[in-house]
Amino acid sequence: MKLHFTGELSGLLSGIQVLAPELGIEQDEEGLKVEVSASSQGLEVGLAQGKAYIRHEKKHQFFRGLGLLIQHAGSKTAFEIKEEQHLSTIGPMFDLSRNGVLTLESFKFMLRKMAVMGLNTVKLYMEDTYELSSEPYFGYMRGRYSYDELKEIDDYADQFGIEAFPSIQTLAHLEEFLKWEPVAKYKDTKGALLVGDEAVNALIEQMIDAVSAPFRSNKIHIGMDEAEELGRGKYLDRNGYHDRFDIMTRHLERVLAATRKRGLEPMMWSDMFLKLASKSGDSYYEEGTSISEEMANRIPKDVSMVYWDYYHTEQEDYEKLIAKHRPLGCNLVFAGAVWVFNTFGVNYGLSLKATDSALQVCKREGITEIYATMWGDDGNESTPLGALLGLQFYAEHAYTAGSPSWEQVSDRVKFCTGIEAETFLRLKDLDETPGAVPGNHKQSNPSKFLLYQDVLLGLFDKQIEGLPMADHYAKLEQEFAANRVKDAELDYIFDVPQKLCAVLKQKSELGIEVKRAYDEGNHAELRRIAEEVLPALIKAVHELRLAHRSQWFRIFKPFGWEVIDIRYSGVTGRLDTAAMRLLDYVEGRVKRIEELEQERLVYSDNNPFNERGAGWCSYYYRMASPNVFFHVLNPL
């Protein structure tokens, strides 16, 4: 489509030029005239009598408006769209600390999609994946970003009116830095800094300087979440027992002194204060928790509190938890999630329901700064590109007074990404399997534990007993294959799910079949499994690994892939050993297979027998084996 832009174009032309190829537009004086002007009424886009207009209040709204214009102008029918932005700040938080560090090109790709959606912020979660010149072990071999890379991201985002800023850790969640022996002086416990120590104070100042320097924004997220071990390690040895709230507030004041000195606007996760106020001392969502007046008076007010909640699906839960935050007296920010954590897919059943409830409440409560976290827990097997439907849902919520219609979300995501909403939704079925509760609200993740569990040990076999998992994955494989669009820019992200289904239709119930044949003394079946089934399965896992490797190197830096590579090698290695063990048994070289003599037990409290889901496991090493993967002599 040829367009001729006129009017107030200051600061917009570079963004238009970058988006032109993706939107299929060309700037031409003979094209459709598009009058661009400022507005005090949000966003207005229209077409009438052969002329178009985009009126916007904020820079980022222009690029949403441009997308809406292209989306609707194709019919050449007159139209008018008026939108008010009900959430002032909205965008994703990319987890860049759990193996998957986005390349600059894939980060820019996401920013372009965000621009057309109308999102206006992006938070970069970096525990140690940025350069700290004074500390060579900071982010060592972890794909850390350089100053120049972060500045390039910031410059690129700014073209579209998107505010980029860093999210770091200044207390806990620093295991990957503190694991190195040369930096032991900074360590209290495995993941927490030794607060109060002058070397640690100096380190934090250096961290804040280094990570804030590349960004235009004055915002900085200083972390401080999930620091339950605070003061319980070297700090305790050095200083004796101190109340954790006292330690926390003293440390927070020290960090805020550093941000104040630099004119930064800090925010932090709120959970530690609510945990410390709870009866148990460690529960974020505990009933009956209240912030006392004494506690509230000691908490600084020049730091925004980020209430994170990825789990609740009912509006009343958010109303209650927001009310618990109010006595803190700080500006309140909300962080929800698009559930890409601990899975190969995306739990859209939970993500969309939780997001809809949370954002409706936030609008009523006047909380207008919203982030969609996309954590990469335990290896980052999924991809943030699969979460684009979730981000679209956040975007449409921002420009809708109540809840956006599904038709609106579907139309927009197809335009913005080239992929049908239903195709994105199919990613949820990797885990929304037989045995899952409706919508998978209990976070079952069989796509991961059924891949990594050992065929001979069968840790999850009892968990899925009687569930038609193989049939489910066979059908899902066909659905992925039938709905692929080879010419679509994002079609490649569905290759891994399709090939994973090809593996799981063979592997998901195989341990049960092996155990049954062994218990029945069916040597012929055990031989068939060893000589036919297991070799075919090894080949399917190899094809999955190659597809995943291709996807990874297209999206992420190479650092971190070695973890997934090792996991796949573990799967094929154990399948090969299983074949050997079965043949040794049927050919009489061993009298029994001890692994198959063991009774199968339910793995977790989340199971179909108590209607709590098909199962959940957070850690690969627990999926692969019940034995010791590593032994930490000194956990501190």
Side-chain angles (χ1 to χ4, degrees):
M1 178 182 289
K2 293 182 179 180
L3 301 177
H4 176 47
F5 295 97
T6 63
E8 301 174 22
L9 298 171
S10 177
L12 301 176
L13 289 175
S14 64
I16 294 171
Q17 187 174 3
V18 168
L19 289 176
E22 290 193 26
L23 294 177
I25 62 176
E26 178 184 346
Q27 294 190 65
D28 190 310
E29 291 187 359
E30 301 301 316
L32 173 67
K33 183 179 178 182
V34 182
E35 177 68 27
V36 180
S37 61
S39 168
S40 60
Q41 302 296 318
L43 174 63
E44 300 176 44
V45 183
L47 174 67
Q49 299 179 340
K51 296 181 180 179
Y53 60 88
I54 302 174
R55 301 168 189 147
H56 60 99
E57 190 174 359
K58 303 287 185 180
K59 181 178 179 178
H60 70 277
Q61 293 173 348
F62 167 81
F63 294 101
R64 177 176 170 88
L66 179 58
L68 288 168
L69 175 62
I70 304 304
Q71 181 180 346
H72 293 279
S75 65
K76 298 183 180 179
T77 303
F79 70 90
E80 183 178 45
I81 298 172
K82 293 184 178 181
E83 293 184 333
E84 179 183 349
Q85 188 167 342
H86 298 273
L87 298 170
S88 62
T89 302
I90 189 149
M93 184 217 75
F94 293 129
D95 184 352
L96 306 165
S97 296
R98 289 173 175 82
N99 293 1
V101 179
L102 291 167
T103 66
L104 287 185
E105 286 310 307
S106 54
F107 209 121
K108 290 176 180 178
F109 173 86
M110 293 297 286
L111 288 170
R112 292 194 297 272
K113 298 305 178 191
M114 289 168 54
V116 181
M117 290 178 181
L119 299 170
N120 64 352
T121 190
V122 60
K123 188 192 302 186
L124 288 76
Y125 179 75
M126 299 175 289
E127 292 172 356
D128 65 331
T129 47
Y130 56 97
E131 281 187 347
L132 201 56
S133 60
S134 60
E135 295 292 341
Y137 285 95
F138 199 81
Y140 175 57
M141 291 290 185
R142 295 252 294 135
R144 62 192 172 199
Y145 287 121
S146 67
Y147 169 92
D148 289 340
E149 286 176 315
L150 291 176
K151 188 174 188 308
E152 189 170 342
I153 289 170
D154 186 61
D155 289 342
Y156 201 83
D158 184 65
Q159 294 178 106
F160 309 118
I162 297 173
E163 181 181 26
F165 70 97
S167 175
I168 65 171
Q169 290 289 355
T170 59
L171 179 55
H173 280 301
L174 286 167
E175 291 90 345
E176 299 311 315
F177 171 53
L178 296 177
K179 69 189 176 194
W180 300 108
E181 289 183 12
V183 301
K185 64 182 179 181
Y186 299 128
K187 182 164 62 174
D188 178 14
T189 63
K190 184 175 72 170
L193 293 170
L194 181 58
V195 301
D197 183 87
E198 284 308 310
V200 168
N201 292 337
L203 173 70
I204 290 171
E205 298 235 5
Q206 293 164 30
M207 291 162 66
I208 292 171
D209 278 335
V211 81
S212 62
F215 295 96
R216 290 170 171 79
S217 175
N218 286 329
K219 287 183 179 178
I220 185 170
H221 196 304
I222 57 175
M224 296 205 175
D225 60 313
E226 298 180 321
E228 284 82 4
E229 74 265 41
L230 177 65
R232 294 176 173 178
K234 194 186 299 181
Y235 182 96
L236 182 64
D237 296 337
R238 182 181 291 187
N239 301 292
Y241 173 78
H242 285 260
D243 181 78
R244 283 190 298 165
F245 180 74
D246 293 338
I247 303 173
M248 185 85 186
T249 51
R250 284 198 299 268
H251 182 65
L252 176 58
E253 276 291 355
R254 185 66 186 80
V255 175
L256 293 182
T259 60
R260 291 168 189 145
K261 184 165 62 176
R262 292 160 176 82
L264 299 175
E265 301 169 15
M267 63 179 73
M268 64 177 285
W269 306 111
S270 68
D271 58 286
M272 281 304 294
F273 286 127
L274 266 71
K275 287 175 181 177
L276 293 172
S278 69
K279 292 180 181 178
S280 65
D282 60 5
S283 177
Y284 190 24
Y285 303 119
E286 186 174 297
E287 288 285 338
T289 297
S290 62
I291 302 294
S292 68
E293 184 177 355
E294 179 188 1
M295 178 180 279
N297 288 339
R298 294 175 59 189
I299 295 172
K301 302 300 180 277
D302 58 341
V303 55
S304 293
M305 290 290 167
V306 183
Y307 158 41
W308 57 266
D309 195 333
Y310 322 135
Y311 307 97
H312 292 100
T313 57
E314 301 302 323
Q315 293 188 34
E316 63 181 292
D317 291 319
Y318 293 99
E319 291 168 352
K320 290 176 182 177
L321 284 157
I322 287 170
K324 289 181 182 181
H325 280 79
R326 293 301 191 190
L328 292 170
C330 302
N331 177 52
L332 194 55
V333 175
F334 179 76
V338 184
W339 270 82
V340 295
F341 350 158
N342 254 305
T343 177
F344 279 76
V346 185
N347 185 346
Y348 274 121
L350 176 57
S351 299
L352 298 178
K353 175 62 176 171
T355 297
D356 190 42
S357 294
L359 298 195
Q360 288 193 62
V361 173
C362 283
K363 290 173 189 176
R364 292 200 299 268
E365 294 282 344
I367 300 170
T368 65
E369 186 171 351
I370 308 292
Y371 299 94
T373 65
M374 289 181 284
W375 297 104
D377 294 14
D378 190 53
N380 221 331
E381 281 95 348
S382 188
T383 164
L385 278 68
L388 284 166
L389 172 62
L391 293 185
Q392 191 78 61
F393 192 64
Y394 272 82
E396 299 316 305
H397 240 295
Y399 295 89
T400 305
S403 181
S405 71
W406 187 246
E407 180 183 13
Q408 175 186 344
V409 175
S410 298
D411 289 347
R412 288 289 292 152
V413 81
K414 176 64 191 308
F415 174 78
C416 293
T417 70
I419 300 295
E420 297 283 353
E422 291 304 313
T423 303
F424 279 115
L425 284 178
R426 200 164 282 111
L427 293 170
K428 73 183 175 60
D429 293 326
L430 290 171
D431 296 306
E432 199 169 310
T433 63
V437 300
N440 197 13
H441 294 170
K442 298 297 183 182
Q443 308 105 52
S444 292
N445 62 340
S447 68
K448 187 164 174 172
F449 65 67
L450 292 177
L451 173 66
Y452 290 142
Q453 82 153 341
D454 189 88
V455 169
L456 290 181
L457 300 175
L459 294 182
F460 295 86
D461 284 350
K462 187 69 175 178
Q463 198 82 21
I464 64 160
E465 190 175 71
L467 301 177
M469 291 292 193
D471 289 345
H472 173 83
Y473 285 114
K475 180 182 177 183
L476 187 56
E477 179 195 13
Q478 294 175 351
E479 291 176 357
F480 275 120
N483 290 277
R484 298 282 295 274
V485 181
K486 292 184 178 180
D487 295 334
E489 185 178 22
L490 281 172
D491 180 70
Y492 75 96
I493 70 171
F494 299 97
D495 198 30
V496 170
Q498 182 180 331
K499 286 184 168 61
L500 176 61
C501 289
V503 169
L504 294 181
K505 73 179 181 183
Q506 302 175 65
K507 186 175 186 291
S508 57
E509 298 179 53
L510 183 57
I512 295 172
E513 295 168 15
V514 170
K515 182 77 163 69
R516 182 186 303 120
Y518 179 80
D519 289 345
E520 294 173 353
N522 190 341
H523 286 213
E525 177 64 6
L526 292 175
R527 180 180 290 277
R528 186 187 73 84
I529 291 172
E531 294 182 343
E532 298 177 23
V533 176
L534 289 172
L537 180 52
I538 289 171
K539 181 180 178 183
V541 174
H542 179 64
E543 290 174 356
L544 168 60
R545 172 181 164 269
L546 294 181
H548 200 164
R549 184 174 68 183
S550 175
Q551 176 182 285
W552 183 283
F553 282 91
R554 193 165 174 175
I555 297 172
F556 299 121
K557 293 187 177 187
F559 304 95
W561 170 252
E562 73 280 0
V563 172
I564 311 300
D565 227 355
I566 290 166
R567 292 179 181 183
Y568 281 124
S569 298
V571 172
T572 55
R574 286 298 297 164
L575 291 173
D576 180 67
T577 294
M580 179 207 76
R581 294 282 285 151
L582 295 181
L583 287 176
D584 279 351
Y585 174 68
V586 299
E587 293 174 359
R589 288 185 289 275
V590 298
K591 293 183 178 180
R592 62 194 182 112
I593 301 176
E594 293 172 280
E595 303 95 311
L596 298 178
E597 297 278 342
Q598 301 293 308
E599 179 187 1
R600 272 33 181 173
L601 303 176
V602 170
Y603 183 86
S604 73
D605 288 338
N606 280 41
N607 62 68
F609 309 112
N610 60 15
E611 299 181 343
R612 292 186 62 187
W616 173 266
C617 184
S618 299
Y619 303 107
Y620 158 77
Y621 70 92
R622 291 301 184 205
M623 299 173 191
S625 171
N627 289 299
V628 178
F629 260 63
F630 50 80
H631 180 60
V632 182
L633 291 175
N634 181 7
L636 302 183

